[in-house]
Tab-separated table of all heavy atoms in Angstrom:
chain	number	residue	atom	x	y	z
A	1	THR	N	16.016	-18.772	1.009
A	1	THR	CA	15.337	-18.002	2.047
A	1	THR	C	13.891	-18.481	2.066
A	1	THR	O	13.243	-18.533	1.025
A	1	THR	CB	15.380	-16.492	1.725
A	1	THR	OG1	16.738	-16.079	1.655
A	1	THR	CG2	14.632	-15.689	2.770
A	2	VAL	N	13.408	-18.840	3.244
A	2	VAL	CA	12.040	-19.354	3.383
A	2	VAL	C	11.192	-18.322	4.115
A	2	VAL	O	11.579	-17.838	5.178
A	2	VAL	CB	12.018	-20.696	4.147
A	2	VAL	CG1	10.591	-21.191	4.326
A	2	VAL	CG2	12.872	-21.734	3.436
A	3	ILE	N	10.064	-18.001	3.530
A	3	ILE	CA	9.114	-17.068	4.145
A	3	ILE	C	7.779	-17.781	4.262
A	3	ILE	O	7.305	-18.385	3.308
A	3	ILE	CB	8.962	-15.784	3.297
A	3	ILE	CG1	10.319	-15.091	3.124
A	3	ILE	CG2	7.945	-14.848	3.925
A	3	ILE	CD1	10.289	-13.913	2.164
A	4	ARG	N	7.188	-17.705	5.439
A	4	ARG	CA	5.880	-18.314	5.679
A	4	ARG	C	4.902	-17.248	6.143
A	4	ARG	O	5.224	-16.432	7.001
A	4	ARG	CB	5.967	-19.389	6.772
A	4	ARG	CG	6.691	-20.602	6.337
A	4	ARG	CD	6.561	-21.730	7.375
A	4	ARG	NE	7.133	-22.930	6.822
A	4	ARG	CZ	6.524	-23.747	5.995
A	4	ARG	NH1	5.281	-23.520	5.658
A	4	ARG	NH2	7.129	-24.814	5.529
A	5	PHE	N	3.722	-17.289	5.553
A	5	PHE	CA	2.662	-16.380	5.958
A	5	PHE	C	1.434	-17.187	6.359
A	5	PHE	O	1.110	-18.189	5.720
A	5	PHE	CB	2.253	-15.438	4.813
A	5	PHE	CG	3.330	-14.499	4.376
A	5	PHE	CD1	3.857	-14.576	3.100
A	5	PHE	CD2	3.815	-13.529	5.240
A	5	PHE	CE1	4.838	-13.708	2.687
A	5	PHE	CE2	4.807	-12.649	4.830
A	5	PHE	CZ	5.323	-12.745	3.548
A	6	TRP	N	0.758	-16.725	7.388
A	6	TRP	CA	-0.535	-17.306	7.748
A	6	TRP	C	-1.588	-16.695	6.837
A	6	TRP	O	-1.486	-15.532	6.444
A	6	TRP	CB	-0.878	-17.000	9.200
A	6	TRP	CG	0.005	-17.679	10.184
A	6	TRP	CD1	0.904	-17.091	11.025
A	6	TRP	CD2	0.088	-19.091	10.440
A	6	TRP	NE1	1.535	-18.042	11.772
A	6	TRP	CE2	1.057	-19.282	11.445
A	6	TRP	CE3	-0.554	-20.208	9.907
A	6	TRP	CZ2	1.392	-20.534	11.933
A	6	TRP	CZ3	-0.223	-21.460	10.402
A	6	TRP	CH2	0.733	-21.617	11.405
A	7	GLY	N	-2.602	-17.471	6.551
A	7	GLY	CA	-3.692	-16.994	5.702
A	7	GLY	C	-4.315	-15.722	6.234
A	7	GLY	O	-4.613	-14.795	5.469
A	8	TYR	N	-4.492	-15.639	7.529
A	8	TYR	CA	-5.089	-14.458	8.148
A	8	TYR	C	-4.273	-13.216	7.820
A	8	TYR	O	-4.811	-12.160	7.503
A	8	TYR	CB	-5.184	-14.644	9.668
A	8	TYR	CG	-5.798	-13.461	10.372
A	8	TYR	CD1	-7.171	-13.378	10.550
A	8	TYR	CD2	-5.012	-12.404	10.827
A	8	TYR	CE1	-7.744	-12.271	11.177
A	8	TYR	CE2	-5.563	-11.301	11.445
A	8	TYR	CZ	-6.933	-11.241	11.624
A	8	TYR	OH	-7.492	-10.142	12.237
A	9	ASP	N	-2.939	-13.343	7.905
A	9	ASP	CA	-2.067	-12.198	7.656
A	9	ASP	C	-2.125	-11.751	6.197
A	9	ASP	O	-2.085	-10.558	5.907
A	9	ASP	CB	-0.627	-12.530	8.050
A	9	ASP	CG	-0.497	-12.793	9.540
A	9	ASP	OD1	-1.291	-12.219	10.318
A	9	ASP	OD2	0.380	-13.583	9.931
A	10	ILE	N	-2.204	-12.717	5.286
A	10	ILE	CA	-2.295	-12.365	3.866
A	10	ILE	C	-3.580	-11.591	3.596
A	10	ILE	O	-3.580	-10.570	2.908
A	10	ILE	CB	-2.213	-13.626	2.981
A	10	ILE	CG1	-0.819	-14.240	3.085
A	10	ILE	CG2	-2.553	-13.306	1.534
A	10	ILE	CD1	-0.698	-15.612	2.450
A	11	ILE	N	-4.669	-12.059	4.166
A	11	ILE	CA	-5.966	-11.416	3.928
A	11	ILE	C	-6.060	-10.046	4.597
A	11	ILE	O	-6.560	-9.095	4.011
A	11	ILE	CB	-7.115	-12.336	4.408
A	11	ILE	CG1	-7.186	-13.566	3.510
A	11	ILE	CG2	-8.451	-11.598	4.424
A	11	ILE	CD1	-8.092	-14.667	4.023
A	12	HIS	N	-5.544	-9.934	5.835
A	12	HIS	CA	-5.750	-8.716	6.610
A	12	HIS	C	-4.569	-7.738	6.612
A	12	HIS	O	-4.739	-6.588	7.041
A	12	HIS	CB	-6.127	-9.073	8.049
A	12	HIS	CG	-7.453	-9.727	8.141
A	12	HIS	ND1	-7.614	-11.100	8.147
A	12	HIS	CD2	-8.699	-9.214	8.178
A	12	HIS	CE1	-8.891	-11.395	8.209
A	12	HIS	NE2	-9.582	-10.272	8.215
A	13	ASP	N	-3.395	-8.175	6.181
A	13	ASP	CA	-2.240	-7.276	6.207
A	13	ASP	C	-1.302	-7.569	5.034
A	13	ASP	O	-0.132	-7.884	5.219
A	13	ASP	CB	-1.501	-7.410	7.543
A	13	ASP	CG	-0.533	-6.265	7.781
A	13	ASP	OD1	-0.516	-5.308	6.976
A	13	ASP	OD2	0.216	-6.327	8.775
A	14	MET	N	-1.834	-7.459	3.835
A	14	MET	CA	-1.071	-7.751	2.620
A	14	MET	C	0.171	-6.874	2.515
A	14	MET	O	1.233	-7.341	2.105
A	14	MET	CB	-1.956	-7.562	1.385
A	14	MET	CG	-1.245	-7.802	0.082
A	14	MET	SD	-0.724	-9.501	-0.148
A	14	MET	CE	-2.315	-10.238	-0.475
A	15	ASP	N	0.062	-5.601	2.890
A	15	ASP	CA	1.209	-4.694	2.778
A	15	ASP	C	2.402	-5.198	3.580
A	15	ASP	O	3.540	-5.144	3.112
A	15	ASP	CB	0.831	-3.281	3.243
A	15	ASP	CG	-0.134	-2.592	2.290
A	15	ASP	OD1	-0.210	-3.013	1.110
A	15	ASP	OD2	-0.812	-1.641	2.725
A	16	SER	N	2.145	-5.709	4.756
A	16	SER	CA	3.219	-6.247	5.587
A	16	SER	C	3.848	-7.484	4.943
A	16	SER	O	5.069	-7.664	4.977
A	16	SER	CB	2.681	-6.587	6.981
A	16	SER	OG	3.680	-7.163	7.760
A	17	CYS	N	3.032	-8.326	4.338
A	17	CYS	CA	3.542	-9.525	3.656
A	17	CYS	C	4.425	-9.125	2.479
A	17	CYS	O	5.524	-9.671	2.303
A	17	CYS	CB	2.386	-10.410	3.179
A	17	CYS	SG	1.374	-11.070	4.507
A	18	LEU	N	3.967	-8.171	1.685
A	18	LEU	CA	4.756	-7.699	0.551
A	18	LEU	C	6.061	-7.065	1.016
A	18	LEU	O	7.120	-7.276	0.411
A	18	LEU	CB	3.954	-6.709	-0.283
A	18	LEU	CG	2.784	-7.286	-1.064
A	18	LEU	CD1	1.960	-6.174	-1.697
A	18	LEU	CD2	3.258	-8.268	-2.113
A	19	LYS	N	6.000	-6.312	2.103
A	19	LYS	CA	7.200	-5.677	2.649
A	19	LYS	C	8.218	-6.735	3.075
A	19	LYS	O	9.417	-6.585	2.817
A	19	LYS	CB	6.831	-4.774	3.820
A	19	LYS	CG	7.995	-4.013	4.389
A	19	LYS	CD	7.576	-3.106	5.529
A	19	LYS	CE	8.813	-2.410	6.085
A	19	LYS	NZ	8.523	-1.684	7.306
A	20	THR	N	7.750	-7.809	3.692
A	20	THR	CA	8.642	-8.893	4.115
A	20	THR	C	9.348	-9.516	2.909
A	20	THR	O	10.557	-9.761	2.938
A	20	THR	CB	7.846	-9.973	4.874
A	20	THR	OG1	7.245	-9.377	6.031
A	20	THR	CG2	8.723	-11.125	5.302
A	21	ILE	N	8.606	-9.761	1.855
A	21	ILE	CA	9.193	-10.349	0.641
A	21	ILE	C	10.178	-9.373	0.004
A	21	ILE	O	11.289	-9.758	-0.388
A	21	ILE	CB	8.090	-10.765	-0.355
A	21	ILE	CG1	7.273	-11.922	0.229
A	21	ILE	CG2	8.695	-11.159	-1.697
A	21	ILE	CD1	6.025	-12.270	-0.548
A	22	GLU	N	9.801	-8.093	-0.074
A	22	GLU	CA	10.689	-7.106	-0.681
A	22	GLU	C	11.974	-6.922	0.125
A	22	GLU	O	13.047	-6.716	-0.445
A	22	GLU	CB	9.957	-5.779	-0.865
A	22	GLU	CG	8.911	-5.868	-1.967
A	22	GLU	CD	8.106	-4.601	-2.168
A	22	GLU	OE1	7.765	-3.925	-1.161
A	22	GLU	OE2	7.816	-4.296	-3.338
A	23	GLU	N	11.886	-7.027	1.443
A	23	GLU	CA	13.088	-6.937	2.273
A	23	GLU	C	14.005	-8.138	2.015
A	23	GLU	O	15.224	-7.988	1.954
A	23	GLU	CB	12.709	-6.861	3.754
A	23	GLU	CG	12.143	-5.518	4.154
A	23	GLU	CD	11.572	-5.492	5.566
A	23	GLU	OE1	11.502	-6.557	6.229
A	23	GLU	OE2	11.182	-4.394	6.009
A	24	ALA	N	13.421	-9.322	1.841
A	24	ALA	CA	14.222	-10.511	1.535
A	24	ALA	C	14.891	-10.376	0.171
A	24	ALA	O	16.056	-10.770	-0.006
A	24	ALA	CB	13.350	-11.760	1.589
A	25	ILE	N	14.185	-9.804	-0.794
A	25	ILE	CA	14.760	-9.567	-2.126
A	25	ILE	C	15.926	-8.588	-2.019
A	25	ILE	O	17.007	-8.809	-2.586
A	25	ILE	CB	13.687	-9.051	-3.110
A	25	ILE	CG1	12.698	-10.170	-3.429
A	25	ILE	CG2	14.324	-8.500	-4.382
A	25	ILE	CD1	11.455	-9.714	-4.188
A	26	PHE	N	15.728	-7.520	-1.277
A	26	PHE	CA	16.778	-6.519	-1.094
A	26	PHE	C	18.008	-7.151	-0.440
A	26	PHE	O	19.141	-6.927	-0.881
A	26	PHE	CB	16.255	-5.341	-0.253
A	26	PHE	CG	17.294	-4.296	0.019
A	26	PHE	CD1	17.662	-3.391	-0.968
A	26	PHE	CD2	17.923	-4.229	1.257
A	26	PHE	CE1	18.628	-2.430	-0.721
A	26	PHE	CE2	18.887	-3.270	1.504
A	26	PHE	CZ	19.249	-2.364	0.523
A	27	GLU	N	17.793	-7.933	0.608
A	27	GLU	CA	18.914	-8.614	1.286
A	27	GLU	C	19.659	-9.527	0.332
A	27	GLU	O	20.889	-9.604	0.363
A	27	GLU	CB	18.418	-9.392	2.502
A	27	GLU	CG	18.000	-8.514	3.656
A	27	GLU	CD	17.365	-9.309	4.795
A	27	GLU	OE1	17.569	-10.536	4.881
A	27	GLU	OE2	16.675	-8.669	5.618
A	28	GLN	N	18.928	-10.222	-0.530
A	28	GLN	CA	19.557	-11.116	-1.502
A	28	GLN	C	20.383	-10.315	-2.507
A	28	GLN	O	21.489	-10.710	-2.861
A	28	GLN	CB	18.503	-11.954	-2.219
A	28	GLN	CG	19.073	-13.023	-3.112
A	28	GLN	CD	19.913	-14.037	-2.352
A	28	GLN	OE1	19.539	-14.485	-1.274
A	28	GLN	NE2	21.041	-14.398	-2.904
A	29	LYS	N	19.843	-9.193	-2.959
A	29	LYS	CA	20.586	-8.331	-3.900
A	29	LYS	C	21.877	-7.824	-3.265
A	29	LYS	O	22.930	-7.804	-3.899
A	29	LYS	CB	19.719	-7.165	-4.356
A	29	LYS	CG	18.642	-7.529	-5.349
A	29	LYS	CD	17.845	-6.291	-5.733
A	29	LYS	CE	16.778	-6.599	-6.757
A	29	LYS	NZ	15.970	-5.401	-7.100
A	30	VAL	N	21.800	-7.383	-2.015
A	30	VAL	CA	22.980	-6.889	-1.311
A	30	VAL	C	24.004	-8.020	-1.161
A	30	VAL	O	25.182	-7.840	-1.412
A	30	VAL	CB	22.594	-6.300	0.071
A	30	VAL	CG1	23.828	-6.039	0.916
A	30	VAL	CG2	21.786	-5.032	-0.118
A	31	SER	N	23.519	-9.177	-0.791
A	31	SER	CA	24.396	-10.342	-0.634
A	31	SER	C	25.084	-10.703	-1.949
A	31	SER	O	26.283	-11.025	-1.975
A	31	SER	CB	23.578	-11.528	-0.119
A	31	SER	OG	24.338	-12.703	-0.142
A	32	ASP	N	24.352	-10.635	-3.041
A	32	ASP	CA	24.907	-10.948	-4.365
A	32	ASP	C	26.004	-9.957	-4.757
A	32	ASP	O	26.990	-10.334	-5.395
A	32	ASP	CB	23.820	-10.984	-5.437
A	32	ASP	CG	22.926	-12.196	-5.318
A	32	ASP	OD1	23.289	-13.143	-4.571
A	32	ASP	OD2	21.844	-12.215	-5.959
A	33	THR	N	25.832	-8.678	-4.410
A	33	THR	CA	26.837	-7.683	-4.774
A	33	THR	C	28.100	-7.826	-3.940
A	33	THR	O	29.173	-7.458	-4.380
A	33	THR	CB	26.290	-6.255	-4.645
A	33	THR	OG1	25.872	-6.014	-3.306
A	33	THR	CG2	25.142	-6.006	-5.606
A	34	LEU	N	27.972	-8.375	-2.732
A	34	LEU	CA	29.137	-8.559	-1.867
A	34	LEU	C	29.945	-9.794	-2.260
A	34	LEU	O	31.121	-9.898	-1.925
A	34	LEU	CB	28.714	-8.660	-0.400
A	34	LEU	CG	28.066	-7.405	0.195
A	34	LEU	CD1	27.605	-7.683	1.608
A	34	LEU	CD2	29.037	-6.237	0.165
A	35	ASP	N	29.316	-10.734	-2.963
A	35	ASP	CA	30.014	-11.972	-3.346
A	35	ASP	C	30.969	-11.767	-4.475
A	35	ASP	O	31.097	-10.980	-5.237
A	35	ASP	CB	29.009	-13.068	-3.738
A	35	ASP	CG	28.268	-13.578	-2.506
A	35	ASP	OD1	28.763	-13.383	-1.404
A	35	ASP	OD2	27.180	-14.164	-2.679
C-alpha cells in the first residue's frame, strides 16, 4: 500500500495524515484476518 503526503499537508494537517495511515493499517489487519 503506497501513501503519499505533500509537505504542506504534513505541516498543516498532521491529524489527517495520521488518520490516513491508521485507516490503511486497519484495512491491512482486516485483509489479513480474511485470508
Side-chain angles (χ1 to χ4, degrees):
T1 300
V2 178
I3 302 173
R4 289 189 173 278
F5 296 116
W6 292 113
Y8 180 89
D9 296 331
I10 293 170
I11 292 169
H12 293 94
D13 195 6
M14 178 66 73
D15 291 339
S16 177
C17 297
L18 290 172
K19 184 179 178 189
T20 300
I21 293 170
E22 289 178 322
E23 286 171 354
I25 290 169
F26 178 77
E27 288 174 20
Q28 187 61 43
K29 286 180 178 178
V30 169
S31 171
D32 288 347
T33 59
L34 296 176
D35 289 340

